[in-house]
Amino acid sequence: MQFTELNLAPALLKAIADKGYTSPSPIQEQAIPGILAGRDLMAAAQTGTGKTAGFTLPLLQLLSDGSKVQPNQARALILTPTRELAAQVAQSVADYSKYLPLKSTVVFGGVKINPQMMALRRGVDILVATPGRLLDLYQQNAVRFTQLEVLVLDEADRMLDMGFINDIKKIIALLPKKRQNLLFSATFSADIRKLAKGLVFDPLEVSVSPENSTAERVEQCVYPVDKGRKAALLTQLVLDNNWQQVLIFTRTKHQANKLSTHLGNVGINAAAIHGNKSQNARTKALADFKKGSIRALVATDIAARGLDIDQLPQVVNYELPNVAEDYVHRIGRTGRAGAAGHAISLVCADESKELAGIERLIKQSLPRETVPGFEPVNKVPTLPVNTKPYKPKKPKQKKFGPAGTARSNQSISKTRTN
């Protein structure tokens, strides 16, 4: 199938051609006709499947035929869990709408709120937002939803994992009852279906990948190594293989900072990206990584979802995630859009339980490779894969203050930071 067969407007087809695309991905092929027909949608799609264009293109077409937006109003609202994903979705909207007379903007925490209030003053056709900052703007009368026609929840499962359910419910209560609803999630978990029950009406369900599957074109392997030698092994792998672009995941912000400093000290340009970094620092680090001025981006799981990095060849799990599902999202950064990729995990004996959980989830044993000179003293066992049905871990619930705002180990300010 070609994009020309999807009944998209010439202005959209021109923007698609500018990006070099001719054929829709499976999620786009299934979702676009349903959205154009006005159906509510539930779509299960891993990152890297083209889902952003899958809702952006038909959304732009629907809005291009509608009425003019009024001051401080938004005709479509796209909610995302993280600032990085919000920025990327907003860029996608800008790219595909460049030949249309539509206005869009993005709002998120970590930056000054006044410019965002100014951008909303004349109204926008599409507003991309993180939940906390959107509620701040609503409370300051900067945005209203009388004209809202479409709500998109992107990475809905991640929003639940991050404790945004109360904010999402507050936002939905502010919206007109009559609207089109589009819900995108990596999986249709029980919690997602519970959320969808009060959100979508007679939805078209689309699924383009098995639940919790790992990308078919990602070559995965485990390097057993003692905990204290991980940094040295990582350094050797980067230098010996001449990796020019590698995304590295750690569990904690402290470890991300520590590892980034270590890599810089051995001559590998690196930067860390996590929740304690300012938004400007996070944006700059990601931009530098994309353009190749830094070789290694060290990230916590805030970067596991939604980061759109074309042709990323290497992902390294410096530490395995506590939750097995996050492994799937981490390695989903590579092997995107048909490209091959490599996902390497540096695993010490203390992480045997996490490794077993990952192998049970993906229903396969990951191959082990030992690097000469880094043979572990404490062995990482190779166990038969547990074939019992996998039960996802419930994320730890965040404590909520009197205003319903999530409290974390980060400093709490009067203005939300998401």
Side-chain angles (χ1 to χ4, degrees):
M1 175 180 276
Q2 302 291 300
F3 275 110
T4 50
E5 300 174 60
L6 289 175
N7 297 318
L8 293 170
L12 290 172
L13 293 174
K14 187 177 179 183
I16 292 167
D18 287 351
K19 292 179 71 70
Y21 301 133
T22 56
S23 300
S25 68
I27 185 67
Q28 293 162 0
E29 188 175 326
Q30 295 181 57
I32 289 174
I35 297 172
L36 288 176
R39 293 282 303 274
D40 279 10
L41 179 76
M42 282 184 66
Q46 302 285 358
T47 53
T49 57
K51 66 181 175 61
T52 301
F55 63 77
T56 298
L57 290 168
L59 183 58
L60 289 168
Q61 177 138 328
L62 291 172
L63 295 175
S64 65
D65 296 331
S67 57
K68 184 178 179 181
V69 69
Q70 301 300 311
N72 296 106
Q73 294 283 345
R75 296 175 59 208
L77 172 63
I78 303 172
L79 286 177
T80 72
T82 67
R83 308 167 192 174
E84 283 75 20
L85 182 55
Q88 287 171 187
V89 171
Q91 185 60 56
S92 179
V93 170
D95 289 344
Y96 290 120
S97 66
K98 63 183 179 179
Y99 300 117
L100 292 170
L102 297 174
K103 293 180 289 185
S104 62
T105 194
V106 58
V107 298
F108 46 71
V111 295
K112 292 181 179 178
I113 198 170
N114 284 345
Q116 297 176 353
M117 295 175 73
M118 294 295 290
L120 290 166
R121 185 165 291 178
R122 291 186 295 175
V124 292
D125 295 285
I126 297 182
L127 175 59
V128 186
T130 52
R133 178 52 63 93
L134 182 66
L135 286 172
D136 285 340
L137 288 161
Y138 183 85
Q139 289 161 6
Q140 296 189 45
N141 295 315
V143 64
R144 287 293 180 262
F145 302 109
T146 310
Q147 276 192 280
L148 192 95
E149 301 169 35
V150 185
L151 169 66
V152 181
L153 284 187
D154 194 15
E155 304 280 10
D157 50 339
R158 187 63 168 167
M159 282 200 262
L160 296 189
D161 289 348
M162 294 174 70
F164 290 146
I165 183 62
N166 285 356
D167 282 351
I168 292 170
K169 287 179 178 178
K170 288 178 185 178
I171 291 166
I172 290 172
L174 301 173
L175 307 181
K177 297 287 187 253
K178 187 177 179 181
R179 62 178 190 269
Q180 187 175 6
N181 301 286
L182 312 176
L183 186 151
F184 287 78
S185 175
T187 64
F188 286 161
S189 66
D191 286 340
I192 288 295
R193 290 196 177 277
K194 184 178 178 182
L195 172 65
K197 200 169 184 180
L199 180 67
V200 295
F201 173 75
D202 186 27
L204 172 67
E205 286 200 20
V206 173
S207 182
V208 296
S209 57
E211 198 166 286
N212 290 319
S213 67
T214 51
E216 290 181 4
R217 294 182 64 85
V218 178
E219 185 179 321
Q220 304 168 65
C221 70
V222 167
Y223 285 81
V225 60
D226 288 326
K227 187 174 184 179
R229 304 209 66 203
K230 282 190 178 186
L233 175 56
L234 176 63
T235 301
Q236 182 166 314
L237 289 171
V238 173
L239 295 177
D240 286 359
N241 294 291
N242 194 29
W243 290 344
Q244 294 301 310
Q245 193 180 46
V246 55
L247 177 60
I248 305 161
F249 284 103
T250 63
R251 284 185 186 173
T252 66
K253 303 162 194 171
H254 172 73
Q255 185 60 261
N257 287 335
K258 183 179 176 182
L259 183 57
S260 175
T261 300
H262 163 80
L263 292 171
N265 290 338
V266 297
I268 299 169
N269 289 340
I273 180 172
H274 53 67
N276 278 1
K277 293 282 186 180
S278 71
Q279 186 57 42
N280 287 340
R282 287 160 65 170
T283 301
K284 183 179 186 303
L286 183 57
D288 288 346
F289 184 61
K290 286 183 175 182
K291 69 184 182 184
S293 58
I294 62 171
R295 292 172 68 178
L297 186 65
V298 188
T300 54
D301 282 305
I302 193 169
R305 298 285 192 94
L307 285 188
D308 188 10
I309 304 168
D310 290 337
Q311 306 298 317
L312 177 63
Q314 310 289 343
V315 167
V316 173
N317 292 295
Y318 186 80
E319 297 169 307
L320 292 181
N322 289 314
V323 180
E325 291 92 330
D326 285 340
Y327 172 84
V328 176
H329 301 306
R330 285 180 178 189
I331 73 166
R333 302 298 89 230
T334 188
R336 294 167 67 110
H342 295 86
I344 291 167
S345 299
L346 310 185
V347 181
C348 66
D350 291 347
E351 297 171 299
S352 298
K353 183 178 178 182
E354 287 79 8
L355 179 59
I358 289 166
E359 292 181 326
R360 178 180 177 185
L361 174 68
I362 64 175
K363 298 180 175 62
Q364 62 176 292
S365 180
L366 295 173
R368 273 67 163 168
E369 294 184 25
T370 302
V371 178
F374 289 91
E375 296 86 353
V377 174
N378 301 298
K379 303 296 183 184
V380 177
T382 301
L383 302 172
V385 176
N386 188 334
T387 56
K388 291 182 180 178
Y390 179 83
K391 292 183 179 180
K393 284 185 182 179
K394 288 280 187 183
K396 290 183 179 179
Q397 293 297 314
K398 297 185 180 183
K399 294 180 180 179
F400 287 86
T405 53
R407 297 187 182 276
S408 67
N409 59 359
Q410 300 177 27
S411 60
I412 304 294
S413 63
K414 289 184 179 179
T415 302
R416 299 169 192 253
T417 55
N418 64 288

